[in-house]
Amino acid sequence: MSCCAAGTACAAVAGGEADAILAESRVEADGLRQTVLSVPGITCGSCVQKVETALRALPGVESARANLSNRSASIRWRGDVPPGLIQALQRIGYDAHLHDAAATETDPAVAELLRALAVSGFAAMNVMLFSASVWHGAEPETRTLFYWLSAAIALPAVAYAGRPFFRSAWKALRHGQTNMDVPISIGVLLTCAMSVYETATGREHAYFDASISLLFFLLIGRTLDHLMRERARQAVRGLARLSSRGAMVLQESGATAFLPVEEIQPGMLLLLAAGERVPVDSVVRVGASDLDCALVSGESVPQAATLGTRLQAGTLNLSAPLTIEAVAAAKDSFLAEMTRMMEAAEGGRSAYRRIADRAARLYAPAVHAAAFFAFVGWMAVNGDLHHAVTVAVAVLIITCPCALGLAVPMVHVVAARRLFERGILVKDGAALERLAEIDAVAFDKTGTLTNGTLRLANAPAIRTDALAVAASMAAHSSHPYSRALAATASGAERTAFSAVQEFPGFGIEATAGADTYRLGRPSWALASAQDANDDASVVLAKNGALAATFAFEDSVRSGAREAVATLRSAGVAVELLSGDAPPPVRALAGALGIPFAARLRPGDKVARLHSLQREGRKVLMVGDGLNDTAALVAAHASMAPATAADVGRNAADFVFLRDDLMAVVQAISIARGAAVLVRQNLALAIAYNVVAVPAAIGGLVTPLVAAIAMSASSLVVVANALRLRGNLAPTPRATAQPALQAAE
């Protein structure tokens, strides 16, 4: 192909990318556009910084934020032509493409680490067999043979199993930086090189067992850490899967056609069947139904939808078909806004620096300096290159951060086991570290502090015959009120009706002989206007006259009172943030003795969390609904019950499987205990180096002894991790909490 033709092809590709970016970008206020790109090469904080710097340098780019958790970048830019976003990232070595929140791709590093761990473990066992023979006094010829056999096993295994460390170290060095993988790589490679030299020259010591054992121990810690973090990118994907794939569109000719949700435009008429979720923000044009808004707004009571009712994407249509008009495209709908809030919050959370990462920033340069000065010092003392290199290698091995690499993951694995025994699942180790720091807890109401299942509260006050009639009518409906009524009178004798009809949004009408019964809203069921404005109550009317009034309530979750009392006694501030109506929220908050805010939209909950964070609080959010998802991600740490929506469980750091809300207290207790052990392990690793490094620099330790000492230090931190227990004791921190203004 000629240069001209190649240039034309490249321009065509670039033009196609620009058109795709323009089409997928969301238009914001003041002419700004927002584009989200997937950048699979983002693997660390340094990557985040480089990606953001490269994007912000482009003309027209107002801001750029990289997200380590889901490996994406959100860019806000101005203009009619995209400013070469993908090309800018490619120039610094990062491939990129338009972000698909629903993609199910997984982190390939996990599979690679598992394979590397298997190879290194197998090789270490076999090399150790040959080493044991040498240690028991093999003849020189036999010793050399065993060393060559060890080399045949260890060198290919090191080359394969060490790739995760070698790549990371090389990437850091290429950019003039260092990380914990640099001393690991140098130590392993120098050990292998020295061992080959020692074997080829017939010397007494070779250290193939040390090099492969180093990798095996380090890969254990690295693999455990990645396995716990693999699920950290599921929340946004779960939210995208919650949205509809498409909808039946009513065309001008009267025909219907299915369109993917991305192709639905404002003004289109959509047919929404009972049991389907609203695909995009819409308005009801024909029909009436009941809506389950619990996941979207937190409303515990189904809401009526009639002509002109505004529907949010993700709301579930319960009882009757509707014709709705789209008022926003999919990328501008409620679910899309939730996705953007979650990604923004997750990007902020991904800036949290792990304890091991913070320690490694200081640890790696110290290791390099110690090995370098040991080499220079011994060269100055006796000029023996072989001895100086041996001492430097021993220093690198004995200071190899195996204990540091295992100190944190092992504690987190033990903590995950302790939590699992109590019915609590943890997503990743960073969540444990954040949970240990929390000093405030914000609870959602419906499905969190309560069980999320309505029950009849005044059953003893209702006549048996009226309850039997109401239960018989309720059996013909799937409405939550109907299910509660039917469950209460499940053993009662059923009333036979000649006709039963459900009126979506109003109630049920049944005929028995000459009598007509209505079960539903007072304003619809009763002939008079009494109680007609009480939309939260349900009545049974016989021929228009009141026969019974039914009151429903959502029961408080088991352990809620004990959990709140324990948290407050431990100095943790507690409050209730709910999207439900003020009366039920106020009643629950009063029973628990905590401040509250009601009728909060998802953005309001996030704003409240940010307000607490500005006050210096580290907040744990406990919620279950779609309306809690952004808050779950925005909080310092988060929990959800197993009964939560899929997206809520994916967004949360912890999921508790049992109904008892004391799980929140237990999780905090274990996390704080784990934090203490992590600090102890880091202290043990430092103390080990304080003793071992001077011995290695003094030439008193061979690389083999250094490897044994390194392994022993790793076993010590593992044994210490097994001591984990948890106890949430009271703290001297003041328990006073500012009152919240309820949204009436």
Side-chain angles (χ1 to χ4, degrees):
M1 181 183 291
S2 67
C3 295
C4 181
T8 302
C10 292
V13 171
E17 288 178 349
D19 292 340
I21 290 174
L22 197 62
E24 293 297 323
S25 297
R26 175 175 179 266
V27 180
E28 296 184 342
D30 302 326
L32 283 176
R33 298 177 184 269
Q34 182 186 42
T35 302
V36 181
L37 300 177
S38 286
V39 190
I42 295 179
T43 58
C44 61
S46 175
C47 298
V48 169
Q49 182 180 7
K50 285 184 285 188
V51 166
E52 290 179 348
T53 301
L55 291 172
R56 288 169 182 163
L58 294 173
V61 172
E62 297 281 333
S63 65
R65 183 70 175 269
N67 188 318
L68 178 60
S69 295
N70 63 8
R71 301 183 181 187
S72 67
S74 177
I75 308 101
R76 297 172 72 240
W77 53 278
R78 192 182 303 276
D80 296 325
V81 179
L85 305 175
I86 294 177
Q87 294 86 343
L89 293 178
Q90 289 173 340
R91 284 195 293 271
I92 61 172
Y94 292 90
D95 291 328
H97 55 83
L98 285 169
H99 181 60
D100 180 8
T104 57
E105 61 187 30
T106 58
D107 186 1
V110 174
E112 181 186 23
L113 286 169
L114 287 171
R115 291 192 297 267
L117 179 62
V119 169
S120 63
F122 177 81
M125 288 188 294
N126 285 276
V127 171
M128 281 298 178
L129 290 175
F130 293 119
S131 298
S133 300
V134 173
W135 298 339
H136 283 80
E139 295 297 326
E141 294 79 7
T142 305
R143 181 184 66 213
T144 301
L145 174 62
F146 283 170
Y147 280 161
W148 281 121
L149 291 174
S150 297
I153 298 172
L155 294 179
V158 166
Y160 180 84
R163 290 181 305 165
F165 304 101
F166 301 156
R167 279 200 305 267
S168 174
W170 176 243
K171 187 175 182 180
L173 292 173
R174 272 195 311 148
H175 294 88
Q177 300 169 350
T178 186
N179 59 23
M180 199 163 64
D181 293 334
V182 173
I184 292 172
S185 301
I186 294 174
V188 169
L189 294 175
L190 276 179
T191 303
C192 289
M194 174 169 285
S195 299
V196 171
Y197 172 78
E198 298 281 316
T199 303
T201 56
R203 293 178 181 264
E204 184 177 355
H205 298 294
Y207 314 108
F208 297 110
D209 47 1
S211 60
I212 194 65
S213 297
L214 280 172
L215 282 179
F216 180 60
F217 274 100
L218 289 161
L219 282 166
I220 290 174
R222 188 69 58 92
T223 304
L224 290 174
D225 197 41
H226 271 262
L227 284 173
M228 294 183 70
R229 295 174 62 186
E230 166 59 15
R231 297 176 64 188
R233 292 179 294 275
Q234 299 300 319
V236 175
R237 298 174 193 163
L239 182 59
R241 287 192 292 269
L242 182 63
S243 62
S244 300
R245 297 295 91 195
M248 297 300 296
V249 177
L250 184 62
Q251 300 176 337
E252 293 182 1
S253 62
T256 59
F258 181 85
L259 281 184
V261 68
E262 296 83 4
E263 298 180 18
I264 296 175
Q265 298 298 323
M268 289 184 174
L269 291 178
L270 314 176
L271 301 179
L272 185 69
E276 292 184 347
R277 291 195 180 273
V278 178
V280 296
D281 292 353
S282 311
V283 174
V284 176
R285 293 305 181 206
V286 178
S289 183
D290 292 300
L291 303 175
D292 182 352
C293 305
L295 288 179
V296 174
S297 66
E299 292 276 359
S300 56
V301 178
Q303 304 298 302
T306 56
L307 181 65
T309 301
R310 178 71 178 256
L311 309 180
Q312 290 180 320
T315 301
L316 180 64
N317 181 23
L318 287 176
S319 52
L322 297 172
T323 300
I324 59 178
E325 179 184 348
V327 296
K331 64 181 181 180
D332 300 318
S333 69
F334 172 77
L335 281 178
E337 184 62 28
M338 286 288 295
T339 301
R340 284 188 287 273
M341 283 195 295
M342 287 171 60
E343 289 178 334
E346 199 168 276
R349 177 184 285 181
S350 67
Y352 178 83
R353 292 193 60 84
R354 300 286 301 274
I355 293 174
D357 294 339
R358 283 175 273 174
R361 284 188 71 184
L362 301 176
Y363 191 89
V367 170
H368 299 153
F372 176 75
F373 286 122
F375 173 79
V376 172
W378 279 105
M379 284 295 294
V381 169
N382 57 22
D384 186 342
L385 177 62
H386 179 271
H387 181 69
V389 171
T390 301
V391 171
V393 169
V395 171
L396 282 172
I397 292 176
I398 210 165
T399 58
C400 190
C402 278
L404 182 61
L406 283 171
V408 178
M410 278 307 304
V411 172
H412 289 168
V413 169
V414 174
R417 171 67 182 273
R418 299 282 187 267
L419 289 169
F420 182 76
E421 291 170 351
R422 292 161 174 79
I424 305 167
L425 304 180
V426 58
K427 181 181 290 184
D428 70 289
L432 273 169
E433 294 177 6
R434 294 195 302 270
L435 184 62
E437 299 172 348
I438 71 101
D439 57 9
V441 179
F443 286 101
D444 175 49
K445 172 186 167 287
T446 306
T448 304
L449 283 173
T450 66
N451 289 310
T453 303
L454 296 175
R455 69 180 184 89
L456 187 61
N458 63 335
I462 303 172
R463 296 197 323 270
T464 304
D465 59 334
L467 184 59
V469 171
S472 300
M473 297 175 67
H476 294 273
S477 172
S478 61
H479 193 284
Y481 283 159
S482 298
R483 290 198 298 266
L485 267 173
T488 302
S490 58
E493 183 178 349
R494 297 296 184 187
T495 303
F497 299 109
S498 58
V500 178
Q501 182 179 2
E502 183 172 8
F503 294 87
F506 299 97
I508 306 170
E509 183 178 88
T511 303
D515 296 322
T516 299
Y517 295 92
R518 282 189 172 186
L519 177 69
R521 298 182 183 276
S523 59
W524 171 77
L526 300 173
S528 66
Q530 72 177 82
D531 297 326
N533 293 325
D534 188 4
D535 291 334
S537 67
V538 174
V539 300
L540 174 66
K542 180 179 181 180
N543 300 322
L546 180 65
T549 299
F550 304 95
F552 297 88
E553 66 179 9
D554 194 354
S555 58
V556 178
R557 185 182 286 270
S558 173
R561 291 180 173 85
E562 294 83 352
V564 169
T566 305
L567 290 169
R568 289 168 66 95
S569 68
V572 178
V574 182
E575 59 187 50
L576 173 57
L577 305 179
S578 177
D580 206 350
V585 178
R586 182 183 298 108
L588 179 60
L592 297 176
I594 57 177
F596 73 95
R599 288 208 186 281
L600 298 181
R601 293 177 58 83
D604 300 328
K605 292 188 177 184
V606 173
R608 174 58 184 164
L609 295 180
H610 287 166
S611 174
L612 290 170
Q613 290 164 357
R614 286 192 294 271
E615 296 172 9
R617 293 283 190 179
K618 303 290 180 65
V619 187
L620 169 68
M621 179 68 198
V622 187
D624 77 314
L626 175 60
N627 64 315
D628 301 313
T629 306
L632 289 171
V633 179
H636 196 63
S638 54
M639 291 187 73
T643 53
D646 288 345
V647 63
R649 293 196 303 271
N650 287 330
D653 296 315
F654 301 84
V655 175
F656 54 96
L657 307 179
R658 299 169 187 168
D659 290 336
D660 198 332
L661 207 59
M662 281 297 289
V664 175
V665 176
Q666 294 166 348
I668 296 172
S669 174
I670 290 173
R672 289 184 176 180
V676 171
L677 287 182
V678 165
R679 290 192 292 269
Q680 289 178 359
N681 275 353
L682 294 176
L684 287 171
I686 293 171
Y688 155 78
N689 281 289
V690 169
V691 174
V693 171
I697 292 176
L700 304 176
V701 176
T702 66
L704 179 60
V705 174
I708 294 173
M710 175 276 303
S711 300
S713 70
S714 299
L715 294 176
V716 168
V717 299
V718 170
N720 190 52
L722 296 175
R723 300 189 308 109
L724 176 63
R725 297 292 183 270
N727 181 33
L728 188 63
T731 64
R733 184 183 177 93
T735 59
Q737 303 174 65
L740 294 179
Q741 178 66 42
E744 297 290 347

